[in-house]
Amino acid sequence: RGEPQNTTIQAQFNPFVQAKVDAQAALGRNVTFLDMRAAVPLSDMPDNLHPGQAGYNKMADAWLPAIQAVLEVGPPAPSRAVGSEDRLHAAITFNKPVADSAATLENYALSGGLTASAAVLSANKRVVTLTTSPQTIATQYTVTINGVSDRTLPTPLPIAPDSTVSFFPARPRGYLNNVPESLGYTLACSLDIPSLANYATAAAPYSVDNRNGIGPFTRVAYYLELQTATGDLQYVWASVDAFTADVGKIALPTAATGAVFQQGVTGMNVVTNVPGVSTGTGLAGNIEFWPTSYTAPNAVVPTGSSVDYDFGDTRSTGGTYGSMQLHNTGAGQTLFGFNNWGGTATAVNADLGIGNNPAPVSGGVDWTFANNAGIYTVKTLQVLVQSTGDFTGPTLTAATATFGRTGITAAFSEPLAAASVRAENFALTNGVVVLGATLAANQRDVVLLTTSQPAGTPLTLTVSGVRDSSPNANLIAPGSTVAVAAATLPAEIVANIGAASTGYHLVASIALPATGNFNAGSSAYTFDERAAPGSFSRIAYYMELQQSGGPVRYAWASMDAFTGDRAKLGPPTAASATVFQQNVANLDVLSNMPGVVNGPTAAGGNIEIWPTNYSAGNALAVPNASATNYDFGDTRTTTGTYGCWQIHNHDAAAAQTIMAVNNFGADGLTLDIGIGNGTA
């Protein structure tokens, strides 16, 4: 609605709706949340109250997938299509299970001269993956579908003739793949932005933070990547002359950093693939970086609006809304905006966008009050610097073998130039050959793939030809060597679990995101040796979680092996065909979460691991489980894509969930994550 109701609705009603829906879903009720405000902005309401025809059309488009999310009635229809990273496949997801004949190649026709050579139906009967001729980046392809029917008996329902769905090939991520200028920059820090951010008192949880090792710098660059579940990857790069000499103040300007900048910036270079955003070099811009709230009147920018939120807002000295915005003032454009991260309303999504907001909530050109961060499955902000006076090459500080004896992680003193990380620059003793070298996300570690390393034989790693990422591209001392240390468990497991972890080998590790994309492949793993050979007798899972400002909570659950296949120990995607719903023997638990029962269980435990939907009924008569509530005795279905990975202690004295990750069966879903029994 128009003002004054508009502000009241935003502040007093909208922030609480999604939490209410989530609470009902947690009780097992079949509900879903639709942000109609984001779908139908005020600009589609001619009288500031009722939608016009364009608004009603947008409402219909928004209602349809929301209804389909909870119902499986009616004929099948494609709900989305996603291109693969190899640009040779496209996965089409249907709104309900389809007949096996959906894998008939003739059912699919592709636009743009693209051809398909194979069609494969997934185990859950919802996804058909097409093998295609090479796809072109940034090209939207449309798939026309006929001849597909559902599994309704006795008469299957057919898909509507000439049903269509579109997709973009997966664009390669990372500034090194998209911005040539980035070759002369060093990564300072990287933040995977959550949908709900609260950094009023807590530090931002950077996945990479190299700032302590960065010296003087002359330029600062910001690189933001955004992608929705069905859209193309969007990115923007903006580099500027350094506006501060303090590396601690160039990232998210939380109150703890003391960073407040509302000023012009010079020498701005912009690279982006977002239509309408001006690119170029030597541009003039301004930044609005602060941890407080702000209002729309123009404070400092001559071309800014005095009534709309844009690139000339007025910073408040109080409040915790938070602003991190970079603008091209000459073009009158927002380059990127990340707001509402300070903790004003933790039940409301952050504001996030590239370019001018096409439908701003309160006028102007920025993303204030957009509350739209939840629509993105990819949202990563990285800060880089161009250092000066660095004439020292990187040093090799450590090398550690992996338990499978086919990998080594080499650590360096500073970020490396990606182009110099090549297998031929690494050599090992005792006949072990380096087959591949991959630069890790922190740019200081290199993961080496090797031939089999002999057990119990000391190895030495020699490195030459590797350079740092400074503009001087300083070379490592030729023939730098380090002894390869034996494989070790992560430090947090050793510290928290201690002797109980002795004898265990790390198989895989995942930094759990807010939004899961496990089906996309191994990219979800930060460490992955599920393909390593060898047998095993016990399996252990370790989960570590921390809420903003809270203590680190962890849980360890070890048990007799319930499978001999390492590949089935990760999240149970449809492709892995992983399904386990059974008791486990000799379950032992160690956790610092209040209420979680520690030690060996008297009656044992059970696991619920599958990629499909489930209901609350106690299908396998698990002891002490409820027939009406979601707990440790649920009923697995063979359809749907919710996904379940849970470990339980069903002993009468405990009757609890030890750890859980759910809602990952399809990519782009917000995960359910927890240790112990849910409290709401």
Side-chain angles (χ1 to χ4, degrees):
R1 297 190 61 177
E3 296 296 355
Q5 294 91 348
N6 189 44
T7 299
T8 303
I9 290 169
Q10 290 181 81
Q12 298 184 21
F13 183 80
N14 287 1
F16 307 102
V17 178
Q18 186 164 3
K20 291 291 186 183
V21 174
D22 291 344
Q24 294 299 310
L27 295 174
R29 294 177 176 134
N30 194 16
V31 298
T32 190
F33 173 76
L34 169 61
D35 185 359
M36 189 61 78
R37 181 186 183 90
V40 187
L42 192 62
S43 58
D44 287 313
M45 299 182 183
D47 63 355
N48 286 337
L49 179 62
H50 302 95
Q53 188 57 54
Y56 282 123
N57 292 347
K58 290 180 180 179
M59 288 182 72
D61 290 339
W63 273 122
L64 179 60
I67 294 171
Q68 289 174 333
V70 294
L71 298 179
E72 291 187 351
V73 298
S79 55
R80 68 169 182 157
V82 178
S84 64
E85 293 183 3
D86 63 10
R87 298 193 291 280
L88 293 173
H89 298 85
I92 303 168
T93 300
F94 291 90
N95 65 333
K96 61 190 306 190
V98 293
D100 292 348
S101 59
T104 303
L105 189 59
E106 289 72 24
N107 291 338
Y108 306 92
L110 296 100
S111 66
L114 203 65
T115 59
S117 58
V120 177
L121 180 62
S122 65
N124 67 3
K125 309 299 183 182
R126 285 177 174 264
V127 181
V128 171
T129 300
L130 301 178
T131 300
T132 74
S133 54
Q135 304 159 13
T136 302
I137 289 179
T139 299
Q140 186 177 38
Y141 295 99
T142 298
V143 185
T144 302
I145 308 171
N146 288 285
V148 172
S149 60
D150 68 8
R151 307 180 78 85
T152 301
L153 296 175
T155 306
L157 298 174
I159 195 171
D162 295 327
S163 294
T164 61
V165 65
S166 298
F167 71 93
F168 286 92
R171 184 186 295 271
R173 292 192 60 188
Y175 51 83
L176 291 172
N177 290 316
N178 297 311
V179 184
E181 181 190 354
S182 67
L183 292 174
Y185 286 74
T186 297
L187 178 65
C189 55
S190 180
L191 176 66
D192 291 322
I193 297 173
S195 298
L196 303 173
N198 182 0
Y199 306 137
T201 57
Y206 297 103
S207 59
V208 175
D209 195 347
N210 296 325
R211 289 176 295 173
N212 286 338
I214 290 177
F217 53 94
T218 57
R219 288 181 64 79
V220 182
Y222 297 90
Y223 180 75
L224 176 65
E225 286 185 337
L226 299 176
Q227 188 172 21
T228 62
T230 58
D232 193 12
L233 180 75
Q234 296 185 333
Y235 65 84
V236 63
W237 162 281
S239 63
V240 299
D241 294 335
F243 51 87
T244 177
D246 188 345
V247 72
K249 294 184 177 182
I250 61 175
L252 195 68
T254 62
T257 68
V260 173
F261 299 104
Q262 187 173 21
Q263 64 192 63
V265 290
T266 59
M268 185 165 65
N269 301 337
V270 178
V271 178
T272 183
N273 70 331
V274 177
V277 178
S278 299
T279 60
T281 60
L283 305 174
N286 77 298
I287 55 174
E288 297 182 315
F289 285 16
W290 54 71
T292 57
S293 300
Y294 53 100
T295 56
N298 181 21
V300 296
V301 181
T303 55
S305 169
S306 61
V307 294
D308 296 328
Y309 286 94
D310 60 356
F311 38 89
D313 302 326
T314 298
R315 179 178 62 88
S316 304
T317 56
T320 58
Y321 200 86
S323 174
M324 187 177 186
Q325 301 186 73
L326 181 60
H327 305 280
N328 180 343
T329 50
Q333 292 179 339
T334 299
L335 295 177
F336 75 85
F338 175 30
N339 311 315
N340 194 26
W341 42 261
T344 300
T346 56
V348 178
N349 284 334
D351 314 325
L352 192 59
I354 296 174
N356 284 352
N357 187 347
V361 175
S362 299
V365 300
D366 68 13
W367 297 84
T368 304
F369 301 137
N371 305 145
N372 64 329
I375 70 173
Y376 297 109
T377 57
V378 171
K379 38 186 182 287
T380 300
L381 175 65
Q382 295 173 309
V383 186
L384 304 95
V385 298
Q386 194 172 75
S387 56
T388 181
D390 182 356
F391 301 102
T392 303
T395 58
L396 178 61
T397 60
T400 306
T402 59
F403 289 108
R405 303 205 308 277
T406 58
I408 291 174
T409 298
F412 292 82
S413 59
E414 61 179 314
L416 303 179
S420 70
V421 178
R422 303 189 301 270
E424 57 265 31
N425 289 338
F426 300 83
L428 289 160
T429 54
N430 292 307
V432 179
V433 178
V434 176
L435 303 175
T438 303
L439 185 62
N442 64 10
Q443 295 193 352
R444 299 188 312 274
D445 294 340
V446 175
V447 180
L448 303 176
L449 176 65
T450 75
T451 55
S452 182
Q453 303 157 21
T457 301
L459 296 176
T460 298
L461 175 66
T462 301
V463 181
S464 299
V466 169
R467 299 179 180 272
D468 67 19
S469 59
S470 74
N472 294 324
N474 300 301
L475 188 67
I476 194 172
S480 296
T481 62
V482 68
V484 179
T488 59
L489 289 173
E492 60 269 27
I493 294 181
V494 174
N496 294 328
I497 308 305
S501 65
T502 301
Y504 285 86
H505 297 173
L506 183 65
V507 174
S509 181
I510 295 177
L512 290 171
T515 303
N517 289 287
F518 301 138
N519 294 278
S522 60
S523 59
Y525 293 87
T526 56
F527 179 87
D528 188 1
E529 277 205 326
R530 293 174 299 157
S535 59
F536 49 94
S537 59
R538 296 273 293 172
I539 297 170
Y541 293 96
Y542 176 83
M543 176 180 283
E544 191 172 277
L545 302 175
Q546 184 176 21
Q547 294 181 331
S548 296
V552 173
R553 297 298 186 188
Y554 63 82
W556 163 279
S558 62
M559 64 208 73
D560 289 349
F562 53 84
T563 177
D565 187 350
R566 293 172 187 256
K568 295 185 181 295
L569 298 181
T573 62
S576 72
T578 300
V579 174
F580 297 107
Q581 186 175 20
Q582 63 192 65
N583 288 340
V584 292
N586 296 314
L587 177 68
D588 198 1
V589 179
L590 183 59
S591 176
N592 71 341
M593 176 65 78
V596 173
V597 177
N598 281 240
T601 61
N606 68 292
I607 54 176
E608 296 182 315
I609 300 175
W610 55 72
T612 56
N613 289 354
Y614 51 102
S615 58
N618 187 7
L620 299 184
V622 176
N624 307 308
S626 168
T628 57
N629 297 327
Y630 285 94
D631 58 0
F632 39 91
D634 301 327
T635 298
R636 178 179 64 88
T637 68
T638 58
T639 61
T641 57
Y642 199 88
C644 177
W645 183 90
Q646 301 185 77
I647 301 175
H648 306 285
N649 178 355
H650 63 246
D651 186 88
Q656 62 189 199
T657 298
I658 300 168
M659 62 183 79
V661 180
N662 307 316
N663 200 26
F664 56 80
D667 288 348
L669 304 176
T670 301
L671 303 181
D672 311 327
I673 303 173
I675 295 174
N677 284 350
T679 57

